[in-house]
Amino acid sequence: MIEIGVIKKSRDGLGCFNCANWLPHAHYPFAGYCTVWDEVTFEDYYCSRHARMNVDADRFYWCATCKVRLTREDALTHWTLGHRVVRGAYVDPDVRDEIYEG
Amino acid sequence: MVDLSFIIGGPQGGGVESAGQIALKAFVVKGYNVLGTREYHSNIMGAHSYYHVRVRDGPARALKTPVDLVVAIDAESVLTHISDVGKGGYLVYDLDSVDVDATKIASMEPSLRSRLRRFFADMNMKPTVGSAVKVLEERGVRTVGLPLKDMLKKVSDTLGTPIASIAKTVNVIGLTAGLYTQGVSLQHIVKAVEAQFGRRPKILAPNITAARVAFEFMEQNIGNIPELPDGPHRGRVRMIASGNEVVAMAKVVGGLTFETFYPITPASDEAFYIEENKYVELGELSEKLELDKIPIAVLQTEDEIAAINMAIGAAAAGARAATSTSGPGFSLMNEAISMAVEMEIPVVITLWMRAGPSTGIATRTGQQDLLHAIFSGHGDTPKIVIASGDHVEAFYDAIKAFNWAEEFQTPVVHLLDKYIASTITVLDEWDLDPHKVSISRGLRIENPPEDYRRYEVTDNGISPFAPLGSAPMLFSSLEHDEHGFASEDPVDREAMVEKRLRKFETIARSIPEEEKIALHGDPSARVTIVSFGSTKQAILSAMEELEREGVRVKFLQLRILSPFPSKAVMDAVGDPELLISVEANAIGQLALLLRAYTGIEVKHFIQKLNARPLYDVEVVYGVKRILGEGARRVVVSGGA
Amino acid sequence: MVRRWADYKTEAWVQWCPGCGDFGILAAIHRALAELDIDPRRLVVVGGIGCSSRSVYYVRGSNVHVIHGRSIPVASGVKLANPELEVVVVGGDGDLLGIGGGHFTALGRRNIDLTILLFDNSVYGLTKGQAGPTLPVGVKTKALPYPNVQDRVNPLILAYASGYTFIARGYAYHVNQLKDLIKAGIEHRGSAFIDILQPCPTYNDMMTKEWYEERIYYLNEEDPLWDPRIRGPEDHVKIPRIVEKMLEFGDRIPLGILYQDLTKTTLEDRFEQQMPGYRKAPPALRPISVNGRAPVHPFKVFKDKLIET
């Protein structure tokens, strides 16, 4: 298979936003981190390694709509409601700079 | 005259802290005074937080609303601050957020969601960001929608390398757009970004690009805005620091050798900064000790009980010792504070008040621990309580607290609050001159005689202090004789009670009157505002405005709350009928003290109870309502 | 001049009940200090509240009598402020393991060079004999209206789990053997814990002198090869046997040194390592000012907060 890299627009309704390899940013979910290409991409990017996101495995998920971590059972409910359920959220490596004692 | 206010809002962890600091730096570099405070939830990530900033060419004393600019790059920030931006002001928001409905924002407080739903329902509107933008535009607010995603893409494309921190870069885009509306040049923004990230090239590069992209966007879409002139404070080195940090600095240069703490908001940042600087070069002391760096013992303990008891042990051994905490931790320290009074131990407790009772709101401010500080500890336990009104006072007070603790062998509570803790201000070299206060340790003897009497009865109540380990001796928390041996003898008992009382009288006599109270404004004014602590600068700022409107007011700021400066207060209060107590507590704790110690009954109150800092406009409003309508109690409610 | 044990007595009247085990412990402390020839000026005995904590008045030293349960943090503060001092904590099981239990465990994590002497009689003597934290469940002393509903904590296991590097058990009436244990504890570098079994003739009529003396035995007498010292990882094989002995409390109760780890650093060492000069200029003794003034302006120190305008 020939790798063609990240294309900067979605294709046929597929994009990072519904890719299982993509973690939307915890606070700004239009951008995120691609675990395949190891770089920051945007929700409407696309690449040949796109893997359609679904809730099948028994693991934790992240609902970008509700900003909450979900068990598989809860993830299915959120998925059915049309929420943006993904594998996880991306947190900047330097996030500690931005957090207050609380 | 330049007097700008703005708010930068966003999710906790979402980059607001960097944006706030960059904003402060941009204006300081430009030659202005700044004041910025952090308001945030007790949360690690995701809940709404914001920076509230004021910029002035004169002293930037206090926060105010409405502000001239709200930078709200997430939907929650737009909706949360809908009432905070005034006519002619700017709202900078994310264009893609217009359809977000307040009722669907999970992180928003449910009560705020309901208030917004009702607010928009009354106007037959959906509670969305789009509606908020429309309402604000109708009010005369200028709104700037940023295509945030596209702008971030552009930064990414321009760079050609991955963006190291999405949150920081998004915030620099939003902030730059906001600063553009206030006439700050790209050059100053870039300088501030460099000052913030200069030592971290991977973060610096995308953020400079972000500033450029945002600035270009604004030039193309908003058009020209006249550049803000340079402020008067240029061409020198200044310091930008929080209250927590300033107190830590004072302790380090003021002779602290032993600090304990248990993590608690909003005190931990002070201990953290001390820990960061526990091993630094201290000028001439380093030469004297022939040590490049001077060690300070800093220890995180298992609880606040251990924190204070360990500090007491260290102080008995001769260390200049302190601990810092907040209300809940101070509650745990009470028994040991009583012990420190009985054992006559010099120890400083830095008490950062936050909103109680109980855990209350851990990350918000208040003045509810005044009586608790003064009357802490069982038994008759007089102690010194000093309250700082701002960063500069806090610096000197922290050193004075040590001096008094050691001179009088007593616990000293240094009273501060969350507002000062997390408020960042700009300071000049002369603001923090440690030579303005000496360092004195009182009557200490290094080589005491074999029959040293730890509790020698003296006329002034102060017994010479010899540290543990210098002679056989007894520090005792039981009532004792002069040697420290436990004694229940009625004559010994009375002698020791009287000795401690005389010592307290000595304290009252020894502290100069001008350090007990500060009287601001025209002493002949009939209206007197009385207050303590961090309300100071809001009141001073309000007085400027009241003066302009022809209302003459003086302000009696209590600096020493224990021993209570009764005479100074009685001399300073003008017409007791026109006495207004400004307090951030519900029961009027300062007024209770006035009543108890001077017999003066305070009849008017301005109170802030919502756990947010006091704004100057609120003081103006309160004073006018009291003078105009004779209102007894005005509760002011600013802040989101 | 060599000090005699009587040199460590004070003029205070020792106000314990006739037959109290504390007398034996006090005698052992006096003798241990004399044999180690510790200068009373450099000795700091710290006690909390309870009959035993009163020992601070009965041992000549530079002593501190503090509130209930807080002797360990106060003693820790003294030691960390002036690591040259010899600091000994005295207290009962109520003071050290009940109200002060949190501090007891925290000290193990720190391994500060302190010696903790637990006067372990399983009752609160001063307040008329309530159950102490080392009183077994089901025991009804004559002071208790009903049998004890809470079980005993095992002080040795607690100390081991907390990280103490010297753990021993002695018996109040065996003054000579106890003296040797106290000496070993004081000489140990790190947190040393000695559980001293001690009858309370006034309130504990179950765990009496006779009850103890039927059960106690010395580990090194039973097994002359008993060596609980950990000198390196190769000695970790000894741990199961050590723990087994710590758990033994019933028909037989072992006495002696149960555990000594010679490999761990003290908190003072860790401070010195992080901040060379800590021992040379300790918090209690170093100067803090120059000619009565702060030695330096904050602008010279906290440069991370400076900005040029």
Side-chain angles (χ1 to χ4, degrees):
Chain A
M1 191 174 113
I2 302 160
E3 296 288 359
I4 51 167
V6 178
I7 297 168
K8 293 184 178 174
K9 65 176 204 267
S10 54
R11 174 186 287 191
D12 308 327
L14 299 178
C16 295
F17 69 94
N18 59 10
C19 177
N21 298 319
W22 195 68
L23 310 176
H25 190 271
H27 305 306
Y28 308 106
F30 52 81
Y33 174 74
C34 173
T35 55
V36 171
W37 298 100
D38 182 25
E39 66 178 84
V40 168
T41 62
F42 290 82
E43 58 186 359
D44 49 0
Y45 284 9
Y46 169 80
C47 82
S48 57
R49 302 266 289 265
H50 185 276
R52 188 72 188 239
M53 175 66 210
N54 57 43
V55 179
D56 47 10
D58 188 15
R59 63 190 301 287
F60 281 101
Y61 294 86
W62 171 257
C63 177
T65 310
C66 301
K67 296 193 173 169
V68 69
R69 198 169 158 92
L70 305 168
T71 61
R72 179 169 179 268
E73 293 78 2
D74 285 340
L76 282 169
T77 313
H78 285 244
W79 181 266
T80 314
L81 289 169
H83 291 190
R84 283 183 69 179
V85 176
V86 289
R87 286 290 178 92
Y90 174 63
V91 176
D92 292 312
D94 58 357
V95 70
R96 280 177 60 250
D97 299 350
E98 308 295 338
I99 292 172
Y100 304 115
E101 59 166 327
Chain B
M1 190 188 78
V2 169
D3 186 354
L4 299 173
S5 283
F6 57 92
I7 281 171
I8 309 162
Q12 165 115 271
V16 171
E17 174 59 19
S18 290
Q21 290 213 18
I22 292 166
L24 294 177
K25 285 173 182 167
F27 285 104
V28 171
V29 169
K30 188 85 182 144
Y32 289 96
N33 289 321
V34 293
L35 185 79
T37 201
R38 307 151 165 155
E39 282 294 325
Y40 57 96
H41 285 78
S42 180
N43 160 268
I44 296 174
M45 235 182 260
H48 177 67
S49 63
Y50 68 97
Y51 243 77
H52 190 169
V53 180
R54 188 154 183 189
V55 178
R56 295 189 71 192
D57 37 17
R61 297 182 184 284
L63 304 171
K64 79 164 204 209
T65 51
V67 295
D68 304 291
L69 163 70
V70 170
V71 176
I73 43 183
D74 72 336
E76 184 171 356
S77 300
V78 176
L79 292 158
T80 302
H81 296 287
I82 188 166
S83 310
D84 289 336
V85 56
K87 188 176 175 185
Y90 283 91
L91 169 74
V92 174
Y93 66 102
D94 178 10
L95 263 183
D96 287 337
S97 72
V98 286
D99 294 329
V100 178
D101 189 311
T103 59
K104 304 262 161 58
I105 301 175
S107 53
M108 188 180 270
E109 299 274 11
S111 303
L112 176 56
R113 269 188 250 154
S114 326
R115 286 202 300 277
L116 287 165
R117 199 172 46 229
R118 285 197 302 275
F119 173 82
F120 287 108
D122 287 347
M123 292 179 288
N124 289 319
M125 294 169 102
K126 282 187 186 163
T128 61
V129 170
S131 304
V133 170
K134 199 160 165 246
V135 166
L136 288 172
E137 282 172 349
E138 280 166 12
R139 268 193 219 153
V141 172
R142 292 172 277 191
T143 61
V144 183
L146 301 177
L148 207 51
K149 179 166 66 178
D150 292 339
M151 292 169 84
L152 192 65
K153 279 182 184 172
K154 193 168 174 193
V155 173
S156 175
D157 290 348
T158 311
L159 270 174
T161 55
I163 294 171
S165 168
I166 294 172
K168 284 186 170 64
T169 313
V170 164
N171 270 272
V172 167
I173 292 172
L175 175 70
T176 302
L179 294 180
Y180 182 92
T181 67
Q182 305 302 310
V184 182
S185 71
L186 180 61
Q187 177 207 343
H188 284 99
I189 297 168
V190 167
K191 253 185 155 171
V193 171
E194 281 169 353
Q196 183 70 14
F197 303 126
R199 281 170 297 180
R200 300 155 78 180
K202 273 191 182 159
I203 292 179
L204 179 63
N207 283 296
I208 288 181
T209 308
R212 293 222 162 90
V213 166
F215 205 88
E216 274 167 32
F217 173 88
M218 294 298 281
E219 281 177 324
Q220 283 158 17
N221 292 278
I222 305 299
N224 199 33
I225 284 183
E227 194 181 331
L228 183 74
D230 281 349
H233 310 284
R234 301 206 62 199
R236 61 177 188 259
V237 174
R238 308 186 84 194
M239 178 180 268
I240 298 178
S242 73
N244 279 142
E245 289 160 351
V246 164
V247 169
M249 291 175 195
K251 285 183 171 178
V252 170
V253 301
L256 173 79
T257 67
F258 195 94
E259 171 90 15
T260 52
F261 71 100
Y262 182 78
I264 188 168
T265 303
S268 304
D269 278 346
E270 183 216 316
F272 245 59
Y273 199 61
I274 294 174
E275 177 109 51
E276 240 181 279
N277 293 284
K278 70 176 181 180
Y279 193 53
V280 293
E281 198 196 323
L282 290 179
E284 289 179 65
L285 199 57
S286 291
E287 292 161 31
K288 193 166 159 180
L289 283 167
E290 293 175 350
L291 285 172
D292 292 342
K293 294 176 178 180
I294 306 284
I296 297 173
V298 183
L299 195 65
Q300 178 184 324
T301 56
E302 58 274 26
D303 54 31
E304 286 91 348
I305 298 173
I308 179 88
N309 279 285
M310 231 183 251
I312 285 170
R320 186 162 259 211
T323 184
S324 39
T325 190
S326 183
F330 193 72
S331 288
L332 289 183
M333 292 182 181
N334 263 255
E335 191 189 10
I337 289 170
S338 182
M339 170 168 77
V341 172
E342 172 75 35
M343 286 210 308
E344 306 200 34
I345 298 287
V347 64
V348 170
I349 303 114
T350 312
L351 173 54
W352 300 91
M353 292 183 284
R354 68 187 209 190
S358 188
T359 310
I361 315 184
T363 58
R364 312 283 178 173
T365 201
Q367 295 183 308
Q368 298 168 294
D369 294 337
L370 174 62
L371 296 180
H372 185 199
I374 296 172
F375 299 110
S376 51
H378 57 284
D380 283 327
T381 50
K383 65 195 72 66
I384 298 176
V385 177
I386 179 168
S388 307
D390 53 33
H391 293 58
V392 173
E393 284 181 2
F395 179 79
Y396 297 113
D397 290 352
I399 303 175
K400 284 197 272 186
F402 278 135
N403 291 343
W404 290 334
E406 291 184 340
E407 284 169 21
F408 306 117
Q409 299 168 42
T410 178
V412 177
V413 180
H414 184 192
L415 197 59
L416 297 136
D417 61 27
K418 185 266 162 185
Y419 172 61
I420 293 182
S422 62
T423 293
I424 297 173
T425 191
V426 60
L427 298 152
D428 282 303
E429 207 166 344
W430 55 83
D431 288 325
L432 307 181
D433 178 3
H435 287 179
K436 280 189 187 163
V437 286
S438 61
I439 289 185
S440 57
R441 310 200 73 179
L443 201 54
R444 284 166 83 95
I445 41 175
E446 302 301 328
N447 294 301
E450 276 289 297
D451 68 337
Y452 169 67
R453 285 173 292 162
R454 169 77 275 269
Y455 302 106
E456 184 185 341
V457 172
T458 57
D459 288 344
N460 65 6
I462 299 168
S463 320
F465 181 94
L468 276 177
S470 59
M473 67 173 85
L474 277 162
F475 278 80
S476 181
S477 79
L478 296 192
E479 195 57 281
H480 39 255
D481 62 15
E482 284 188 284
H483 279 97
F485 280 107
S487 172
E488 298 182 18
D489 178 72
V491 176
D492 282 346
R493 160 68 178 175
E494 204 171 285
M496 282 300 147
V497 173
E498 291 281 6
K499 166 186 149 44
R500 290 191 291 269
L501 201 61
R502 278 202 306 285
K503 185 169 84 172
F504 200 56
E505 286 160 6
T506 302
I507 293 170
R509 264 198 321 276
S510 307
I511 298 176
E513 291 297 309
E514 65 271 19
E515 295 184 33
K516 292 178 182 165
I517 65 157
L519 192 60
H520 308 271
D522 179 356
S524 68
R526 284 183 62 223
V527 182
T528 312
I529 290 175
V530 64
S531 193
F532 72 101
S534 74
T535 53
K536 172 190 171 184
Q537 292 291 358
I539 294 169
L540 289 180
S541 185
M543 284 164 70
E544 291 173 18
E545 175 61 26
L546 288 165
E547 186 82 36
R548 275 193 290 275
E549 298 183 24
V551 185
R552 279 174 63 232
V553 174
K554 67 183 168 195
F555 167 32
L556 169 59
Q557 181 199 358
L558 272 80
R559 300 277 285 112
I560 304 286
L561 279 305
S562 175
F564 194 83
S566 312
K567 186 173 178 304
V569 169
M570 284 192 276
D571 290 347
V573 170
D575 182 348
E577 295 297 313
L578 295 175
L579 180 61
I580 304 166
S581 186
V582 177
E583 304 188 46
N585 63 67
I587 60 175
Q589 298 189 12
L590 182 61
L592 277 171
L593 289 174
L594 249 71
R595 184 89 185 256
Y597 287 108
T598 68
I600 297 169
E601 187 185 352
V602 178
K603 298 201 175 119
H604 304 284
F605 292 89
I606 298 173
Q607 290 178 329
K608 185 116 189 191
L609 306 175
N610 67 0
R612 270 58 176 179
L614 181 71
Y615 303 159
D616 52 5
V617 286
E618 296 179 320
V619 179
V620 173
Y621 166 79
V623 169
K624 283 188 187 164
R625 275 205 50 201
I626 287 164
L627 296 182
E629 306 161 26
R632 197 189 80 79
R633 175 172 172 259
V634 181
V635 176
V636 291
S637 311
Chain C
M1 183 197 88
V2 175
R3 294 182 180 87
R4 294 167 310 129
W5 70 269
D7 293 335
Y8 294 90
K9 288 166 101 177
T10 68
E11 64 252 44
W13 170 57
V14 182
Q15 42 178 288
W16 289 322
C17 304
C20 179
D22 286 354
F23 285 104
I25 305 173
L26 182 63
I29 294 172
H30 286 151
R31 283 165 171 77
L33 294 170
E35 288 187 17
L36 293 170
D37 195 26
I38 290 172
D39 182 348
R41 282 176 304 184
R42 285 186 46 251
L43 169 68
V44 180
V45 183
V46 184
I49 296 298
C51 301
S52 52
S53 298
R54 283 242 174 188
S55 304
V56 297
Y57 298 112
Y58 311 144
V59 178
R60 191 163 162 76
S62 198
N63 300 347
V64 195
H65 191 202
V66 304
I67 48 179
H68 198 21
R70 313 307 167 203
S71 50
I72 286 178
V74 172
S76 302
V78 171
K79 182 71 181 180
L80 294 175
N82 187 353
E84 290 300 302
L85 300 178
E86 200 57 69
V87 185
V88 176
V89 169
V90 290
D93 48 302
D95 188 76
L96 291 170
L97 301 180
I99 188 170
H103 310 309
F104 182 84
T105 53
L107 178 60
R109 294 168 51 216
R110 298 186 179 120
N111 198 33
I112 300 172
D113 188 10
L114 298 178
T115 307
I116 311 297
L117 304 182
L118 174 67
F119 294 41
D120 185 357
N121 65 4
S122 305
V123 291
Y124 285 82
L126 266 186
T127 47
K128 291 191 68 170
Q130 294 87 350
T134 57
L135 190 71
V137 71
V139 170
K140 184 192 166 311
T141 64
K142 66 184 168 192
L144 294 176
Y146 289 98
N148 186 17
V149 291
Q150 306 182 72
D151 208 351
R152 71 183 280 272
V153 67
N154 181 325
L156 305 181
I157 290 291
L158 184 63
Y160 178 71
S162 305
Y164 284 78
T165 47
F166 178 99
I167 299 170
R169 187 191 273 134
Y171 177 57
Y173 291 120
H174 290 177
V175 173
N176 253 323
Q177 293 94 321
L178 181 57
K179 174 225 22 171
D180 287 338
L181 288 178
I182 295 172
K183 277 172 69 183
I186 290 175
E187 287 189 301
H188 173 75
R189 276 176 54 92
S191 296
F193 170 62
I194 305 175
D195 179 23
I196 306 168
L197 302 176
Q198 171 218 0
C200 173
T202 306
Y203 291 116
N204 192 337
D205 56 335
M206 303 302 291
M207 298 155 91
T208 59
K209 191 165 182 288
E210 294 69 33
W211 188 90
Y212 278 119
E213 289 176 7
E214 278 167 15
R215 289 165 171 80
I216 52 177
Y217 70 97
Y218 284 91
L219 286 161
N220 56 353
E221 284 173 10
E222 188 187 67
D223 174 7
L225 296 177
W226 173 254
D227 176 15
R229 286 175 186 82
I230 308 293
R231 297 178 182 82
E234 68 281 4
D235 285 334
H236 286 172
V237 292
K238 298 176 181 175
I239 299 290
R241 180 103 197 285
I242 286 170
V243 171
E244 191 189 317
K245 286 296 168 193
M246 286 178 177
L247 286 168
E248 191 178 18
F249 191 89
D251 291 343
R252 305 195 75 219
I253 301 174
L255 303 179
I257 300 175
L258 284 103
Y259 175 69
Q260 185 172 19
D261 190 332
L262 302 167
T263 67
K264 288 193 182 148
T265 57
T266 63
L267 184 60
E268 302 90 297
D269 296 334
R270 298 167 205 160
F271 272 171
E272 178 65 29
Q273 207 169 27
Q274 264 185 16
M275 306 182 291
Y278 159 73
R279 282 184 189 276
K280 179 185 156 195
L285 303 179
R286 74 163 169 86
I288 58 169
S289 60
V290 177
N291 302 323
R293 283 161 168 249
V296 65
H297 192 286
F299 271 45
K300 297 253 174 353
V301 182
F302 308 98
K303 291 179 180 153
D304 57 323
K305 302 291 167 194
L306 299 181
I307 188 160
E308 265 183 70
T309 69

